[in-house]
Amino acid sequence: AQKVTQAQTEISVVEKEDVTLDCVYETRDTTYYLFWYKQPPSGELVFLIRRNSFDEQNEISGRYSWNFQKSTSSFNFTITASQVVDSAVYFCALSEAQRSNDYKLSFGAGTTVTVRA
Amino acid sequence: KAGVTQTPRYLIKTRGQQVTLSCSPISGHRSVSWYQQTPGQGLQFLFEYFSETQRNKGNFPGRFSGRQFSNSRSEMNVSTLELGDSALYLCASSLGGGTYEQYFGPGTRLTVT
């Protein structure tokens, strides 16, 4: 079963528009970590944020913000006032901390964001 | 601080051959994970090493193997290459594994013909 679902395959916006990326996860653990990564055309995955399951405070970092809601198992990501340089594939990932031998990230399928000038 | 480095960046091999990919983690990081990225399957976990011990392995055949050295550098090996092994292989380093931030290298693009 898919542990992380990113329902949006592609999103295309015009520069300065806001973009919200959806992420829904599935886990039985009470302790887990959620991540967002960005993969620009160069191919290298860039770490954006890590949140643990006990911290539901929303976070803002510059033009990026994250909305974590345990009640709906969602960890959504918003880019405000998008720029062309934001064009990339964005991945949501889950790490389940309670399993003794689980040291991996389970990734969603990714959402391709294209920002047009 | 230098990032994660992977060598080689590009590789073309023939079916049946074997290949070794190398990864040097960020200084001080003891965990190295490997992922395979393909258009069809997305990002899939291969294995994770910590202090020279494999702690977790994904659902890949035994043709995929790895190891980690005392300096935390890691190698992965794929034997008897198949066309379906063509992929971007990404290495990630972290302080302690999956629950920590993992920092990825640029990847090795493997093409099997």
Side-chain angles (χ1 to χ4, degrees):
Chain A
Q2 189 78 0
K3 292 186 178 183
V4 179
T5 301
Q6 295 180 253
Q8 305 148 306
T9 305
E10 295 183 34
I11 298 176
S12 182
V13 297
V14 176
E15 219 171 7
K16 297 185 184 175
E17 286 185 348
D18 296 348
V19 180
T20 294
L21 309 181
D22 298 333
C23 173
V24 174
Y25 61 92
E26 180 184 330
T27 179
R28 294 182 195 171
D29 287 4
T30 55
T31 302
Y32 53 88
Y33 292 79
L34 295 162
F35 302 79
W36 275 96
Y37 283 86
K38 170 183 177 180
Q39 188 175 38
S42 61
E44 188 167 336
L45 279 165
V46 178
F47 167 77
L48 295 176
I49 189 171
R50 164 182 175 260
R51 300 302 299 275
N52 71 55
S53 51
F54 298 105
D55 184 3
E56 287 191 74
Q57 270 196 326
N58 293 325
E59 184 165 336
I60 298 175
S61 176
R63 296 185 297 107
Y64 296 165
S65 61
W66 291 270
N67 183 356
F68 176 29
Q69 292 193 344
K70 282 177 79 169
S71 60
T72 56
S73 297
S74 66
F75 185 43
N76 298 337
F77 170 40
T78 298
I79 304 171
T80 303
S82 61
Q83 299 175 2
V84 172
V85 292
D86 295 327
S87 297
V89 182
Y90 290 84
F91 292 94
C92 181
L94 166 73
S95 179
E96 294 162 293
Q98 284 178 284
R99 300 186 193 188
S100 61
N101 64 345
D102 193 345
Y103 297 96
K104 67 181 181 186
L105 290 174
S106 298
F107 284 90
T111 299
T112 301
V113 173
T114 302
V115 182
R116 308 185 308 276
Chain B
K1 205 181 230 187
V4 179
T5 58
Q6 291 187 247
T7 56
R9 292 293 310 280
Y10 302 92
L11 208 49
I12 299 175
K13 289 286 189 178
T14 305
R15 264 184 310 175
Q17 288 185 316
Q18 76 163 17
V19 67
T20 299
L21 312 182
S22 181
C23 171
S24 292
I26 292 170
S27 177
H29 285 190
R30 296 165 66 186
S31 168
V32 173
S33 299
W34 289 88
Y35 294 82
Q36 181 197 64
Q37 186 177 26
T38 60
Q41 299 298 316
L43 277 156
Q44 293 188 289
F45 172 78
L46 280 157
F47 27 66
E48 189 258 359
Y49 287 87
F50 184 87
S51 293
E52 301 179 68
T53 299
Q54 185 183 89
R55 296 196 296 188
N56 198 7
K57 191 177 193 304
N59 295 324
F60 280 82
R63 300 185 296 107
F64 292 80
S65 62
R67 59 178 176 168
Q68 187 180 33
F69 302 96
S70 58
N71 61 359
S72 293
R73 191 177 69 84
S74 176
E75 289 181 346
M76 69 162 279
N77 184 276
V78 188
S79 63
T80 320
L81 284 165
E82 300 177 359
L83 295 178
D85 297 333
S86 295
L88 180 66
Y89 290 88
L90 292 161
C91 164
S93 83
S94 72
L95 286 171
T99 60
Y100 290 79
E101 297 97 281
Q102 293 195 31
Y103 296 91
F104 284 80
T108 294
R109 173 75 62 185
L110 172 65
T111 301
V112 182
T113 62

